[in-house]
Amino acid sequence: MTFVLVIGAGQAGLATGCHLRRSSLDFLIVDSACHVGNSWRKRYESLTLFTPRQFSALPGLPLVGNRELYATREEFADYLQTYATRCGLPVRLNSRVVRLARIGGNAFEATLQNGKRLQATHVVVATGGFQKSVVPPISAKFDAEVVQLNAETYRNIHQIPGGRALVVGDGASGRDIAVELSSRGPTALAAGKPRRLFPERVLGKSVWWWLSKSGVLKAPPNSTMGQFLRRSDAFPDRDRSIGSLTRKNIAIMPRLVDAAGDKAIFSDGSSIPVAAVIWAVGYVDDSSWLGVPEATAADGSFLHTEGVSPVHGLFFVGKPWQRNRTSALIMGVGDDARLIVQRIAAEGSGQTARG
């Protein structure tokens, strides 16, 4: 008998649960949080979704509100809670997986933080693409008096002391945080590679509508269009262009390359004193709990092809560019989850036990 363990009760895990519920497969979703949606509530308070509500819903349940505007983090966290309830998904909270291992050749055993163990024939890792915020080694060169936060630990401007704040990383989150910080005092943003922003609306419609209709978002990662999208790493310009940031009195600096005391040193040789640094340079996979060596690369990143691990019975949903640009977006996890569940169903059975 097939039994599926889904690790993570965010949008990827719940979308997977929706398709598992529609199938005849037995399953359980586990999550370390005390409430569904807590991963969103833990992020910075001013966060809004990357896509409008019309493109931010999971299979079978619309996201209520103005479909052209963006849901807040609290609103979407509540939506995930409602989704789990409406779909009748079996979610076990306060259940962090501290180790996943193979047993008996064709099954898995997950050890939870409380010591309990769960066995499954198939496992779907749905922990998302934002697991462990990157903090470069250069951070150690700042004095202890310099407050350092990252995209996970930053909540609001009240965490930042007087003096100049430096945001490192000019992606969507980095630019949002820099704008928020500029309301409290001097703020600088250290840019990295050149960013390509596209307009938020075209001919009165969301740019996501046009991208969806054109099929661009479905381009595979290794296609010409997919490679272009990955290189450009574009996102909508919601008043976040370099020109707009400059008008908000945010100092745009080149790449941060070094630090000494309270000095941030940049690639052009310039330096500025800072009182706080917020690292927004991206995320990496946290695979420390995965005791299946064949499932990870040398750098610890998860190995998979379109969500299918080289380890039989192990799958992923919600990874960036799992199948296309939408894979790490809310609008794409439903399709990816459906295909993974179909694959699991097609694989047939295996002896299982549950904790």
Side-chain angles (χ1 to χ4, degrees), residues 140-153:
K141 296 186 177 183
F142 283 107
D143 280 343
E145 288 75 18
V146 176
V147 173
Q148 297 192 56
L149 301 169
N150 57 48
E152 290 178 279
T153 57

Side-chain angles (χ1 to χ4, degrees), residues 37-164:
N38 258 25
S39 61
W40 284 89
R41 291 189 175 91
K42 288 164 56 179
R43 302 186 70 185
Y44 58 95
E45 293 174 4
S46 62
L47 175 69
T48 61
L49 296 191
F50 195 64
T51 51
R53 289 184 182 88
Q54 63 181 303
F55 299 109
S56 300
L58 297 179
L61 184 66
L63 182 55
V64 177
N66 188 322
R67 65 198 308 268
E68 300 292 338
L69 299 181
Y70 306 87
T72 66
R73 62 163 199 167
E74 289 287 342
E75 179 185 348
F76 191 67
D78 290 344
Y79 168 83
L80 293 180
Q81 179 69 70
T82 300
Y83 189 85
T85 302
R86 292 271 188 93
C87 296
L89 300 181
V91 179
R92 185 180 296 184
L93 298 169
N94 297 304
S95 299
R96 179 184 297 277
V97 175
V98 295
R99 182 169 176 80
L100 181 72
R102 294 296 297 270
I103 57 170
N106 294 313
F108 298 89
E109 183 174 78
T111 303
L112 305 183
Q113 193 170 28
N114 61 10
K116 292 184 178 180
R117 298 184 178 185
L118 304 171
Q119 293 182 7
T121 57
H122 298 76
V123 174
V124 179
V125 177
T127 50
F130 306 101
Q131 296 175 32
K132 187 177 179 181
S133 186
V134 175
V135 177
I138 191 177
S139 63
K141 296 186 177 183
F142 283 107
D143 280 343
E145 288 75 18
V146 176
V147 173
Q148 297 192 56
L149 301 169
N150 57 48
E152 290 178 279
T153 57
Y154 173 76
R155 296 289 181 271
N156 55 54
I157 62 175
H158 303 299
Q159 295 171 281
I160 309 301
R164 181 183 287 109

Side-chain angles (χ1 to χ4, degrees), residues 28-346:
L28 175 68
I29 303 172
V30 296
D31 195 278
S32 62
C34 57
H35 297 287
V36 172
N38 258 25
S39 61
W40 284 89
R41 291 189 175 91
K42 288 164 56 179
R43 302 186 70 185
Y44 58 95
E45 293 174 4
S46 62
L47 175 69
T48 61
L49 296 191
F50 195 64
T51 51
R53 289 184 182 88
Q54 63 181 303
F55 299 109
S56 300
L58 297 179
L61 184 66
L63 182 55
V64 177
N66 188 322
R67 65 198 308 268
E68 300 292 338
L69 299 181
Y70 306 87
T72 66
R73 62 163 199 167
E74 289 287 342
E75 179 185 348
F76 191 67
D78 290 344
Y79 168 83
L80 293 180
Q81 179 69 70
T82 300
Y83 189 85
T85 302
R86 292 271 188 93
C87 296
L89 300 181
V91 179
R92 185 180 296 184
L93 298 169
N94 297 304
S95 299
R96 179 184 297 277
V97 175
V98 295
R99 182 169 176 80
L100 181 72
R102 294 296 297 270
I103 57 170
N106 294 313
F108 298 89
E109 183 174 78
T111 303
L112 305 183
Q113 193 170 28
N114 61 10
K116 292 184 178 180
R117 298 184 178 185
L118 304 171
Q119 293 182 7
T121 57
H122 298 76
V123 174
V124 179
V125 177
T127 50
F130 306 101
Q131 296 175 32
K132 187 177 179 181
S133 186
V134 175
V135 177
I138 191 177
S139 63
K141 296 186 177 183
F142 283 107
D143 280 343
E145 288 75 18
V146 176
V147 173
Q148 297 192 56
L149 301 169
N150 57 48
E152 290 178 279
T153 57
Y154 173 76
R155 296 289 181 271
N156 55 54
I157 62 175
H158 303 299
Q159 295 171 281
I160 309 301
R164 181 183 287 109
L166 171 67
V167 180
V168 183
D170 66 336
S173 293
R175 295 189 187 207
D176 281 349
I177 293 171
V179 169
E180 182 171 88
L181 290 174
S182 68
S183 67
R184 55 156 289 282
T187 303
L189 176 68
K193 63 183 180 182
R195 296 277 182 181
R196 184 186 298 270
L197 273 62
F198 45 77
E200 183 181 8
R201 305 187 69 78
V202 177
L203 298 178
K205 286 188 174 292
S206 166
V207 68
W208 293 108
W209 186 89
W210 293 101
L211 292 172
S212 179
K213 288 296 183 182
S214 69
V216 167
L217 296 177
K218 298 295 186 180
N222 294 324
S223 67
T224 300
M225 178 55 70
Q227 291 176 1
F228 170 77
L229 292 175
R230 296 184 77 173
R231 286 194 305 270
S232 62
D233 195 20
F235 53 87
D237 179 9
R238 295 191 287 168
D239 196 28
R240 295 294 186 265
S241 68
I242 293 298
S244 176
L245 299 180
T246 301
R247 288 190 291 274
K248 291 177 171 61
N249 296 316
I250 298 170
I252 306 300
M253 309 301 295
R255 183 183 298 275
L256 181 71
V257 296
D258 206 352
D262 69 343
K263 295 288 193 303
I265 303 169
F266 303 95
S267 58
D268 63 353
S270 64
S271 65
I272 56 174
V274 297
V277 178
I278 296 87
W279 301 99
V281 293
Y283 296 81
V284 293
D285 290 334
D286 178 9
S287 60
S288 59
W289 53 274
L290 185 54
V292 185
E294 304 86 354
T296 57
D299 63 358
S301 60
F302 297 121
L303 293 173
H304 68 90
T305 300
E306 296 189 352
V308 180
S309 169
V311 176
H312 179 77
L314 183 63
F315 303 89
F316 299 89
V317 174
K319 303 305 298 176
W321 285 98
Q322 180 167 316
R323 291 195 312 123
N324 50 51
R325 179 65 179 88
T326 69
S327 289
L329 300 176
I330 299 160
M331 70 169 74
V333 293
D335 283 344
D336 286 0
R338 174 178 53 81
L339 293 174
I340 292 300
V341 170
Q342 287 177 354
R343 174 70 177 256
I344 293 172

